[in-house]
């Protein structure tokens, strides 16, 4: 090539416009609602998996229907309100509320169809083969009908209240998630009447029929040992008892879901406790966002329901078979251990196995070393023991704790009550009354705590308090006032601690303790604090500090070293954070994202996200922990806490991420937890550039199971 040609070629290359991807473009983002529906598809895949014992598969299927109920109550309900209010804001992928509702309709119809098919054609027949048969009323023999009819008269009939609809009776109120029968009858004058009969939720959905004698037949098959019939079919076939002298024409089951996405005007509330109680009552009257009926419903019945319930045709869903299959969870309680997963005893570190009467041992252990617990593989008992020890230890002066979801039979709250009532300690508790679907339980606990003289607050106006912090102030034996802390990723709920994967952390780090004191002063008093020593606190510092850590990895990459991040969370939605991750990828930073549920980020797009991988791990336990690891040129930064990367968590909640600075613990969590999730051949889903999820391995049934690995480690700690 001549010098002249070389110059011309250089000029041509320079003239070529380098197109920089516009990271604001909607094409680089996934709709959060569709991503959430995709997550339910992955849960359904667990229900279909032969890897799990049969009753565990039943649980997964029940979760699909339960999760969709909540999805319609909250997400669809919120979109309905936006649409009605004429909100024009676009979603992260550029859709209006109306467009999102239309897409949700299509996606959920397909999901419902697949989930019902899984029940009818896979799980129900498998249950039958295993000796658990769900019968239709028409399939019962005379003896069985006599048995269930007797149960109907003695138990079901007294609970039923038929409600008529005519000029003298307004159309009855239909409660949220209730299963009902629309009954059409004819009186002696041949006039057609309508009545609604509510299926009592206080009784089992599956009515047991007397068990067979058991044993194994000569051909080796197992006879049916558990026979059930649907309660609504028992009621439907005994309607004559409710309407004597009337002719039953036909009856149709129907079920509704109401909008539960209610906004609380906290600034106008004189008393938030009273306001929340009223809000819980008012939720019974939320607008209907789904009417579920059978496909064989008559046009007359459907028209009557839609007109009187004021339901749009786009909110009517037609099903084959039974409605409201979240009640399948009842079957998982059947006493058939051969059809359930093997129970394991969570591991308790030897140093935490001590007599509670020697409660000072707990605090001396924390003084010696920081402790990380990985639930449910590590026992939750030490957390309960920590609060009990604080309640009874005469050297403890003050206990402060946040309570988000405690459950109705919490061992934590009685310990706090005992600390105040029996040991006269100063106890301050922040009870989050706005924890969705736990409002009633939290209201009850708040009242009990207040009655015992505990300082109870309900957080900050406009913010949910989602962080998990317990602070114990103790006058130690060396005459020093120390602060001992438990911080975690999960709620102080001993029930979910057996089912959720989470981290808990014990420390008496002075800076973290001082930060916790400032945090509680911020939550319970008046504070304009803008900086913390070690804690990252939303909505004050968390977003800014996370972005700084991402930008630091970008700078490291630009300086010739390899930047690297591992981020584990439940959901990735926040556009500003996603843009930062895209920019890091463009700079060459390697990013592994372990995102259980929603991901609005699209990985693997050339020039945008080719250095980002997103995997989703599901299993027996709900992956719930949030861990943010930054390689930082060999001086790793690890942050653990309560915050997902969503606008609500970063902007509208009080969240806390706490640093793990002990290099031994950092290495342990990275090597023994995070790297296990990223191991080759893992049983997990990988998000594709087009937004679809695919199994990471060709044979997911026999692939490496992360949760089974952790169970094995808990049972054999020396492995």
């Amino acid at each position: 090539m001549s010098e002249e040609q070389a110059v011309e070629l250089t000029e041509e290359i320079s003239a070529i416009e380098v197109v920089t991807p516009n990271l604001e473009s909607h094409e680089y983002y996934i709709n959060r609602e569709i991503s959430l529906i995709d997550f339910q598809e992955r849960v359904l895949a667990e229900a279909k998996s032969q890897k799990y014992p049969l009753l565990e598969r039943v649980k997964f299927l029940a979760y699909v229907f339960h999760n969709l109920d909540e999805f319609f109550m909250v997400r669809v309900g919120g979109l309905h309100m936006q649409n009605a209010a004429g909100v024009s804001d676009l979603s992260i992928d550029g859709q209006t509320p109306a467009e999102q509702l239309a897409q949700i309709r299509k996606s959920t119809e397909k999901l419902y169809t697949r989930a019902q098919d899984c029940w009818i054609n896979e799980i129900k027949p498998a249950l039958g083969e295993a000796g658990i048969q769900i019968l239709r009323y028409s399939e019962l023999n005379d003896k069985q009908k006599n048995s269930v009819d007797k149960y109907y008269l003695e138990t079901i009939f007294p609970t039923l209240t038929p409600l008529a609809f005519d000029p003298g009776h307004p159309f009855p109120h239909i409660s949220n998630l209730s299963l009902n029968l629309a009954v059409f009858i004819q009186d002696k004058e041949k006039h057609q009447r309508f009545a609604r009969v509510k299926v009592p939720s206080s009784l089992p959905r599956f009515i047991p029929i007397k068990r067979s004698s058991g044993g194994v037949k000569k051909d080796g098959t197992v006879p049916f040992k558990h026979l059930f019939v649907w309660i609504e079919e028992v009621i439907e076939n005994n309607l004559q008892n409710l309407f004597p002298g009337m002719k039953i024409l036909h009856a149709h089951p129907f079920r509704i879901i109401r909008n539960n996405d209610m906004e609380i005007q906290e600034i106008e509330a004189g008393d938030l406790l009273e306001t929340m109680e009223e809000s819980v009552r008012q939720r019974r009257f939320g607008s209907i966002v789904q009417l579920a009926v059978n496909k064989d419903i008559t046009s007359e019945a459907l028209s009557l329901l839609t007109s009187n319930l004021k339901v749009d045709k786009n909110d009517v869903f037609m099903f084959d078979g039974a409605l409201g299959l979240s009640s399948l969870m009842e079957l998982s309680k059947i006493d058939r251990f051969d059809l359930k997963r093997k129970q394991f005893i969570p591991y308790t570190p030897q140093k935490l196995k001590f007599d509670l009467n020697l409660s000072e041992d707990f605090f001396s252990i924390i003084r010696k070393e920081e402790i990380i617990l990985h639930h449910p593989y590590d026992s939750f008992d030490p957390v309960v023991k920590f609060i009990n020890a604080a309640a009874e230890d005469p050297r403890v002066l003050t206990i402060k704790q946040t309570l988000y979801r405690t459950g109705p039979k919490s061992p934590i709250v009685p310990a706090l009550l005992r600390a105040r009532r029996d040991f006269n300690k100063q106890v301050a508790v922040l009870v989050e009354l706005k924890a969705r679907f736990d409002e009633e339980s939290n209201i009850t606990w708040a009242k009990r705590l207040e009655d015992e003289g505990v300082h109870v607050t309900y957080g900050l106006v406009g913010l949910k308090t989602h962080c998990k912090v317990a602070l114990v102030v103790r006058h130690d034996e060396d005459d020093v006032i120390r602060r001992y802390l438990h911080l975690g990723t999960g709620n102080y709920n001993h029930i979910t601690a057996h089912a959720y994967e989470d981290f808990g952390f014990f420390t008496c780090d002075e800076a973290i303790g001082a930060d916790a004191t400032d945090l509680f002063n911020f939550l319970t008093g008046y504070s304009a604090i803008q900086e913390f020593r070690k804690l990252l606190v939303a909505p004050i510092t968390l977003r800014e500090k996370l972005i700084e850590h991402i930008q630091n990895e970008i700078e490291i990459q630009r300086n010739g070293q390899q930047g690297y991040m591992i981020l584990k969370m439940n959901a990735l939605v926040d556009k500003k954070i996603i843009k930062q991750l895209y920019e890091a990828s463009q700079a060459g930073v390697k990013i592994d994202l372990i995102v259980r549920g929603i991901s609005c980020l699209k990985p693997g797009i050339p020039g945008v996200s080719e250095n980002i991988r997103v995997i989703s791990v599901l299993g027996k336990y709900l992956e719930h922990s949030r861990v943010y690891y930054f390689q930082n040129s060999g001086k790793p930064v690890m942050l653990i806490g309560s915050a997902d990367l969503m606008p609500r968590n970063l902007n509208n909640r009080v969240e806390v991420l706490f640093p793990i600075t002990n290099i031994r613990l950092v290495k342990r969590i990275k090597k023994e937890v995070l790297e296990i999730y990223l191991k080759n051949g893992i049983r997990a889903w990988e998000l594709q550039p087009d937004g679809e999820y695919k199994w990471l391995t060709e044979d997911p049934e026999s692939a490496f199971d992360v949760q089974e690995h952790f169970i094995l480690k808990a049972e054999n700690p020396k492995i």
Side-chain angles (χ1 to χ4, degrees):
M1 181 185 295
S2 68
E3 183 177 343
E4 184 178 345
Q5 288 175 319
V7 171
E8 289 179 357
L9 180 60
T10 302
E11 290 175 349
E12 287 178 13
I13 293 173
S14 300
I16 296 174
E17 181 182 356
V18 178
V19 178
T20 302
N22 177 13
L23 298 183
E24 291 291 335
S25 175
H26 298 308
E27 67 179 303
Y28 297 130
Y29 301 91
I30 300 170
N31 183 274
R32 66 155 292 166
E33 316 306 344
I34 300 305
S35 184
L36 187 52
I37 295 169
D38 287 342
F39 170 63
Q40 308 311 332
E41 291 277 10
R42 301 198 294 281
V43 177
L44 177 59
E46 299 295 292
K48 296 170 75 67
S49 172
Q50 300 289 330
K51 179 180 178 64
Y52 299 105
L54 186 54
L55 290 181
E56 299 302 322
R57 294 174 60 194
V58 171
K59 275 188 182 181
F60 279 116
L61 189 57
Y63 287 143
V64 173
F65 287 96
H66 171 79
N67 293 346
L68 283 172
D69 284 348
E70 288 197 0
F71 176 73
F72 272 86
M73 281 191 283
V74 179
R75 301 304 309 174
V76 175
L79 285 171
H80 268 283
M81 290 195 297
Q82 290 181 38
N83 194 41
V87 173
S88 58
D89 293 349
L90 301 181
S91 62
I92 195 169
D93 65 329
Q95 294 192 67
T96 66
E99 289 170 334
Q100 292 180 78
L101 287 170
Q103 190 175 4
I104 286 169
R105 166 81 194 203
K106 292 178 182 178
S107 297
T108 53
E109 273 190 331
K110 292 177 182 177
L111 177 55
Y112 275 130
T113 299
R114 284 193 283 270
Q116 285 224 308
D117 179 74
C118 177
W119 165 246
I120 294 169
N121 296 316
E122 295 181 45
I123 290 182
K124 185 171 175 282
L127 285 170
E129 291 177 9
I132 301 171
Q133 192 171 35
I134 315 301
L135 299 169
R136 303 292 304 270
Y137 186 88
S138 58
E139 296 174 317
L140 303 181
N141 60 38
D142 290 342
K143 184 177 180 180
Q144 291 168 340
K145 285 182 180 178
N146 289 337
S147 174
V148 297
D149 289 349
K150 181 181 179 183
Y151 177 85
Y152 168 84
L153 289 171
E154 293 177 352
T155 305
I156 302 175
F157 179 74
T159 69
L160 300 179
T161 304
L163 295 176
F165 173 52
D166 56 35
H169 301 87
F171 194 86
H173 172 74
I174 310 297
S175 52
N176 187 36
L177 302 181
S178 64
L179 181 61
N180 308 269
L181 291 176
V183 184
F184 290 81
I185 57 180
Q186 190 179 82
D187 61 21
K188 293 179 180 178
E189 286 73 36
K190 304 295 184 181
H191 296 138
Q192 184 170 300
R193 306 292 186 186
F194 170 84
R196 171 261 191 149
V197 176
K198 181 179 179 180
V199 177
S201 58
S202 56
L203 295 176
R205 179 78 183 277
F206 299 96
I207 304 302
I209 305 168
K210 187 176 180 180
R211 293 186 184 186
S212 65
S213 59
V216 180
K217 293 181 178 180
K218 291 182 180 180
D219 62 1
T221 61
V222 179
F224 295 124
K225 294 182 180 179
H226 297 271
L227 304 181
F228 298 91
V229 63
W230 301 92
I231 186 173
E232 63 267 30
E233 292 199 358
V234 175
I235 296 172
E236 183 179 349
N237 284 275
N238 283 275
L239 284 173
Q240 199 62 59
N241 292 285
L242 280 175
F243 304 99
M246 301 285 180
K247 180 181 179 181
I248 309 299
L249 299 175
H250 45 90
H252 305 279
F254 70 97
R255 184 176 184 265
I256 67 161
I257 300 177
R258 290 186 180 274
N259 177 17
N260 261 307
D261 190 29
M262 300 298 177
E263 293 186 13
I264 308 300
Q265 301 300 322
E266 296 176 60
I267 295 176
E268 301 171 11
D271 185 313
L272 185 58
L273 185 64
E274 292 181 3
T275 301
M276 285 304 302
E277 287 183 294
E278 179 59 26
S279 173
V280 171
R281 286 191 291 268
Q282 288 300 318
R283 283 182 177 176
R284 297 185 306 139
F285 303 102
S287 60
I288 296 173
V289 294
Q290 186 192 104
L291 168 63
V293 297
N294 281 142
K295 287 183 177 179
D296 61 0
I297 190 171
T298 64
S299 58
E300 173 193 26
L302 182 59
S303 176
L304 185 144
L305 290 174
T306 54
S307 61
N308 286 281
L309 293 172
K310 297 179 173 57
V311 177
D312 187 275
K313 65 178 182 179
N314 291 319
D315 298 320
V316 177
F317 285 73
M318 294 191 171
F319 294 87
D320 286 319
L323 308 178
L325 290 183
S326 59
S327 58
L328 290 174
M329 192 61 73
E330 289 180 19
L331 297 177
S332 69
K333 299 174 183 177
I334 295 174
D335 191 14
R336 284 287 301 273
F337 297 107
D338 58 316
L339 302 178
K340 298 182 179 182
R341 69 171 180 245
K342 177 188 172 186
Q343 295 297 314
F344 79 99
I345 299 174
Y347 174 68
T348 302
Q350 190 63 39
K351 58 180 168 283
L352 296 181
K353 293 179 179 178
F354 54 82
D355 189 338
L356 191 56
N357 293 327
L358 305 174
S359 58
E360 64 273 9
D361 280 0
F362 207 123
F363 301 105
S364 64
I365 290 166
I366 298 174
R367 284 199 301 275
K368 291 175 186 174
E369 61 177 311
E370 294 177 326
I371 299 168
I372 276 282
L373 296 175
H374 189 202
H375 309 301
Y377 316 106
D378 291 333
S379 173
F380 189 71
D381 289 346
V383 180
V384 177
K385 188 178 287 187
F386 175 67
I387 303 301
N388 278 313
E392 299 179 9
D393 187 343
R395 289 187 173 275
V396 169
L397 307 175
T398 301
I399 305 172
K400 298 184 180 184
Q401 189 167 6
T402 61
L403 297 177
Y404 189 72
R405 300 188 194 276
T406 58
K409 296 182 180 179
S410 168
I412 298 287
V413 179
L416 297 172
L417 290 167
R418 196 165 63 256
R420 178 69 195 126
R421 181 185 61 237
D422 299 342
F423 299 96
N424 200 34
K425 300 184 188 300
Q426 180 176 316
V427 181
V429 178
L430 188 141
V431 179
E432 182 47 75
L433 298 180
K434 295 164 287 183
R436 198 185 305 276
F437 305 120
D438 275 77
E439 298 96 342
E440 293 183 71
S441 175
N442 286 5
I443 287 169
T444 299
W445 283 127
K447 288 181 175 179
R448 285 194 59 185
L449 288 162
E450 285 183 332
D451 289 344
E452 292 294 343
V454 172
H455 300 301
V456 179
T457 57
Y458 310 122
L460 302 171
V461 172
L463 299 174
K464 276 188 181 180
T465 303
H466 189 245
C467 55
K468 331 295 182 183
V469 183
L471 168 65
V472 173
V473 181
R474 188 174 189 265
H475 191 170
D476 280 345
E477 291 81 0
D478 56 0
D479 204 31
V480 173
I481 303 295
R482 284 192 179 87
R483 286 170 281 215
Y484 296 83
L485 293 114
H486 173 269
L487 304 102
T489 65
N491 301 306
Y492 290 106
N493 185 317
H494 70 297
I495 300 299
T496 57
H498 292 285
Y500 288 19
E501 179 272 339
D502 273 305
F503 281 103
F505 179 55
F506 292 105
T507 185
C508 61
D509 181 285
E510 289 185 14
I512 294 179
D515 278 348
T517 295
D518 288 342
L519 173 67
F520 278 103
N521 291 340
F522 170 65
L523 292 172
T524 63
Y526 292 106
S527 170
I529 188 168
Q530 292 299 309
E531 194 62 49
F532 291 86
R533 300 159 189 83
K534 286 189 174 181
L535 296 182
L536 277 62
V537 179
I540 303 171
T541 62
L542 199 154
R543 176 191 290 278
E544 171 192 340
K545 296 294 184 182
L546 272 180
I547 289 176
E548 284 181 11
H549 286 301
I550 297 172
Q551 291 176 339
N552 181 58
E553 294 299 315
I554 295 174
E555 196 62 31
I556 288 169
Q557 186 73 34
R558 288 173 176 164
N559 289 334
Q561 299 181 61
Q562 181 61 60
Y564 181 54
M565 293 175 248
I566 307 174
L567 311 181
K568 181 180 186 296
M569 69 205 84
N570 300 328
L572 174 57
V573 176
D574 189 82
K575 188 173 183 179
K576 291 180 181 178
I577 296 290
I578 293 174
K579 284 176 63 180
Q580 289 292 318
L581 294 175
Y582 283 158
E583 289 175 10
S585 173
Q586 289 174 326
V589 177
K590 300 295 183 184
I591 305 171
D592 281 313
L593 301 178
I594 307 165
V595 186
R596 184 196 78 214
I598 305 168
S599 173
C600 294
L601 176 150
K602 287 184 177 181
I605 300 174
V608 176
S609 58
E610 68 266 39
N611 291 306
I612 303 177
R613 180 171 70 142
V614 180
I615 67 168
S616 173
V617 176
L618 280 74
K620 303 178 185 73
Y621 306 114
L622 184 76
E623 293 290 333
H624 192 248
S625 66
R626 294 88 167 179
V627 184
Y628 303 100
Y629 172 86
F630 304 89
Q631 188 163 266
N632 190 34
S633 295
K635 298 178 181 178
V637 173
M638 180 173 284
L639 302 165
I640 297 179
S642 59
D644 286 309
L645 302 185
M646 306 176 74
R648 71 179 190 189
N649 299 81
L650 302 177
N651 303 335
N652 306 115
R653 288 185 172 188
V654 179
E655 303 274 14
V656 167
L657 294 182
F658 51 90
I660 305 298
T661 55
N662 183 310
I663 193 62
R664 176 183 61 84
L665 293 180
V666 171
K667 288 181 177 178
R668 176 189 151 196
I669 295 169
K670 180 175 183 287
K671 182 179 180 180
E672 298 181 14
V673 180
L674 296 180
E675 288 183 1
I676 300 299
Y677 283 102
L678 300 172
K679 184 176 178 178
N680 289 333
I682 186 177
R683 187 178 190 275
W685 300 83
E686 185 169 20
L687 181 57
Q688 307 300 306
D690 62 359
E692 296 294 319
Y693 281 85
K694 293 183 179 178
W695 283 110
L696 264 174
T697 55
E698 291 184 6
D699 184 13
E701 297 296 299
S702 59
F704 175 78
D705 189 309
V706 174
Q707 295 189 354
E708 290 292 342
H709 167 81
F710 290 138
I711 290 173
L712 184 63
K713 287 280 289 182
E715 294 177 325
N716 304 277
K718 294 182 180 180
I719 294 180

